[in-house]
Amino acid sequence: MLLSSALSTFRRAIRSLPADGRLTREDLLIPELRLSADGLVETFYAPHNDYVHSSASLFIVGLTPGFTQMRIAYEAARHAMDLGLGDEAVCRKAKEAASFAGSLRANLISMLEELGMPEYLGIRTSEALFGTERELLHTSSVLRYPVFVNRANYNGSRPSLLGTPSLRDAALASITEELNVFLDRPFIIPLGIAVEGILRLLAEQGVLDAGQCLWGFPHPSGANGHRHKQFAARKAEMKKSLRRYFS
């Protein structure tokens, strides 16, 4: 289902993007696609996180789409528009293509395999969550649309997500809206410390149950050079959390 009708506002701009070749920052970080700006912090529209798999059993939450995800989402959306698809189908195609795309997805799948996630979901492999078993998975970000600082991917610390009221409030409102559309209570995996901080606030507010979250899951980005060590240190406790939730 669609969370918003925002795509209709940006259809013309998307159709005006270059049709051939890979889209660049110069193509996408433009005023026509910008939602807001506050100094060096800019937020841009991207279509993939407007779509929600509301029947999903697993909800993986990142910080904000990086440029790679943004680019892939726009390329998929443009192709879907060329096929004459409606807004919901366009956003769904964009989500399927862009969700944690690239090495991030490969690292995430590997970590889910090590935790034994397929057994709990009744599927053969974690990779199937991004293919034949896509309905079981919903992916999104606490900051639903791409945020950049000085045109670089926002990392949650400069400025601080929790310490910057505009960003914190946007994250709390966005993720609360998504949680309210699920048909059943999903198991939630927050990726990284900044995302975990937002979900812990929501747990304190009673918006979600702390027991439905897998705390301590390291961010799977290749930029997190400590992820293997962090994962190994927390693996046993995370496995206990999975057993408790799915038992």
Side-chain angles (χ1 to χ4, degrees), residues 160-178:
S160 164
L161 176 61
L162 290 176
T164 306
S166 59
L167 292 173
R168 183 191 64 237
D169 293 348
L172 290 170
S174 177
I175 207 67
T176 298
E177 181 183 13
E178 293 196 39

Side-chain angles (χ1 to χ4, degrees), residues 13-210:
I14 295 173
R15 297 303 299 269
S16 299
L17 294 172
D20 299 322
R22 176 175 290 193
L23 295 171
T24 67
R25 289 177 183 266
E26 289 71 26
D27 294 325
L28 295 178
L29 304 188
I30 58 177
E32 292 82 359
L33 297 175
R34 187 167 55 204
L35 294 172
S36 65
D38 183 5
L40 296 177
V41 180
E42 297 175 286
T43 302
F44 291 84
Y45 177 71
H48 61 301
N49 279 344
D50 275 343
Y51 185 84
V52 178
H53 288 96
S54 57
S55 61
S57 302
L58 178 64
F59 183 12
I60 302 179
V61 189
L63 173 65
T64 187
F67 180 76
T68 296
Q69 292 180 52
M70 181 184 183
R71 173 184 60 78
I72 293 173
Y74 270 107
E75 290 171 352
R78 174 62 186 263
H79 178 67
M81 287 180 182
D82 289 343
L83 295 176
L85 300 183
D87 285 4
E88 182 168 335
V90 168
C91 290
R92 178 170 182 155
K93 291 290 186 183
K95 177 174 284 292
E96 291 171 353
S99 294
F100 303 124
S103 61
L104 182 63
R105 182 183 295 184
N107 294 341
L108 178 58
I109 288 170
S110 176
M111 294 162 79
L112 293 176
E113 284 291 303
E114 285 196 55
L115 292 176
M117 185 60 74
E119 177 184 351
Y120 295 107
L121 297 178
I123 59 179
R124 294 185 63 184
T125 69
S126 298
E127 187 174 8
L129 290 168
F130 293 91
T132 56
E133 304 292 347
R134 194 64 177 83
E135 292 298 325
L136 293 175
L137 173 67
H138 177 56
T139 61
S140 192
S141 305
V142 290
L143 295 171
R144 185 179 303 160
Y145 302 119
V147 175
F148 299 93
V149 180
N150 198 22
R151 296 298 170 102
N153 292 347
Y154 174 52
N155 64 10
S157 63
R158 297 182 180 180
S160 164
L161 176 61
L162 290 176
T164 306
S166 59
L167 292 173
R168 183 191 64 237
D169 293 348
L172 290 170
S174 177
I175 207 67
T176 298
E177 181 183 13
E178 293 196 39
L179 288 169
N180 286 336
V181 303
F182 282 100
L183 301 178
D184 201 356
R185 191 179 75 163
F187 187 66
I188 305 171
I189 301 180
L191 302 183
I193 295 173
V195 178
E196 189 169 297
I198 291 295
L199 294 191
R200 286 192 182 279
L201 279 179
L202 291 177
E204 292 172 5
Q205 295 170 6
V207 175
L208 58 83
D209 180 353

